[in-house]
Amino acid sequence: MLRLGITGGIGSGKTLVCSIFQQLGVPVYNADTRAKWLINNHTELKTKLIKQFGEATFKDGLYNTVHISSIVFGNPTQLALLNAIIHPAVFEDWKQFCELHQTAPLVIKEAAIMLETDSKYTVDKIALVYAPLAIRMQRVMQRDQISEADLLKKINAQMAEEEKLKLADYVIVNDGEQSLVEQVLKLHQQLTH
Ligand code: ATP
C-alpha cells in the first residue's frame, strides 16, 4: 500500500483533487476534518486540552476556537503545545485508517499543513496541488465570506508555495487551464501500477 499525502495552500483545490481520487475508489482521509472530530469526541484528547488550556477550552461541550485562538495566535510556544497534544492523536487515527484499508493499493491523507510538520513523515509520497495566487484568492473569496485583507493574512501565514514546490514529490496544477482529471488519472495510474 502506498500512502499519498495531498497538500496545498488555501483554495488550491485539495478537496476537489481528493474527490476525483475518491471517485476512482481511493480511500481519502481528511486530516483537518478528523482533527476537529477527534478534539470534540476523543475523551483522552479533551482531557489533555483542558489540562493545558483551561476549562474554557470547551464551551457547552464544544471546542471553543475563540478561546484557543486567543491563546495560540501569534504565540509559537503555545501553538507548539497545542500541536503536541493534537498531532499524536491524529497520527494514531490515520494509522488506524490505513490498517482499515490495508488491502487498498493507495490511500490518501489530505492536509493543508503537511510539509511544515511531522505529518510529512506519516506518508510515503506527497503531491502538491498548486494554483496561482490570484486564482486561489478569487476562488476562496467566492466560496467564503472573507475579506481580501483577512485572506492575505491567512495566505502569508502559510509556507510559500515556491518552498512547497521544492519539497513535493508530485505537483498537480490547478490553474483552470490544465485538466485536473487528466493529471489525477495519470498520477493514479503511476501510483497503482
Ligand atoms: P481549503 O484549504 O481552503 O479548504 P482547498 O485547497 O481544499 O481549500 P477546494 O475547496 O478544493 O480547495 O477549492 C477551493 C474553491 O475553488 C472551491 O469552491 C472549489 O469548488 C473551487 N475550485 C477549485 N478548483 C477549481 C477549478 N479547477 N475550477 C473551478 N473552481 C475550482
Side-chain angles (χ1 to χ4, degrees):
M1 174 210 273
L2 188 104
R3 298 166 304 165
L4 176 69
I6 293 203
T7 191
I10 180 169
S12 56
K14 296 177 291 295
T15 304
L16 188 58
V17 165
C18 286
S19 70
I20 303 172
F21 272 108
Q22 217 156 19
Q23 291 291 316
L24 296 170
V26 179
V28 174
Y29 179 92
N30 185 315
D32 303 331
T33 309
R34 280 303 289 176
K36 281 184 197 130
W37 188 87
L38 288 165
I39 287 167
N40 281 306
N41 294 280
H42 191 294
T43 313
E44 204 183 311
L45 180 56
K46 280 177 96 164
T47 308
K48 281 185 186 165
L49 287 169
I50 292 169
K51 200 169 162 205
Q52 183 65 47
F53 299 107
E55 288 294 334
T57 304
F58 290 87
K59 196 176 172 189
D60 302 325
L62 286 178
Y63 189 53
N64 184 354
T65 49
V66 176
H67 172 71
I68 291 295
S69 298
S70 73
I71 296 173
V72 304
F73 191 78
N75 188 328
T77 310
Q78 292 297 325
L79 181 63
L81 282 170
L82 178 66
N83 286 338
I85 296 172
I86 297 173
H87 286 179
V90 180
F91 290 178
E92 181 54 36
D93 188 57
W94 162 239
K95 201 170 138 209
Q96 284 176 17
F97 181 88
C98 292
E99 280 163 12
L100 189 70
H101 296 283
Q102 56 183 300
T103 56
L106 177 66
V107 288
I108 284 175
K109 182 186 201 183
E110 175 189 351
I113 309 291
M114 177 172 283
L115 292 161
E116 300 87 332
T117 70
D118 283 354
S119 182
K120 61 178 173 290
Y121 303 123
T122 68
V123 293
D124 304 304
K125 294 283 180 192
I126 297 182
L128 175 73
V129 183
Y130 175 81
L133 180 64
I135 294 184
R136 285 165 58 201
M137 291 192 62
Q138 198 181 27
R139 286 175 183 158
V140 174
M141 283 164 68
Q142 211 156 51
R143 185 191 63 185
D144 305 335
Q145 296 290 336
I146 186 166
S147 72
E148 190 171 319
D150 284 349
L151 179 55
L152 273 172
K153 254 189 234 164
K154 276 191 175 186
I155 287 173
N156 291 332
Q158 294 186 337
M159 185 193 273
E161 296 303 287
E162 289 63 34
E163 276 308 303
K164 291 184 188 170
L165 281 169
K166 285 187 220 155
L167 299 170
D169 298 294
Y170 311 100
V171 177
I172 297 168
V173 179
N174 185 20
D175 58 0
E177 299 280 330
Q178 304 180 53
S179 163
L180 260 195
V181 174
E182 271 174 33
Q183 292 178 78
V184 171
L185 282 176
K186 197 170 149 205
L187 185 57
H188 179 257
Q189 176 83 6
Q190 191 180 337
L191 297 176
T192 55
H193 289 85

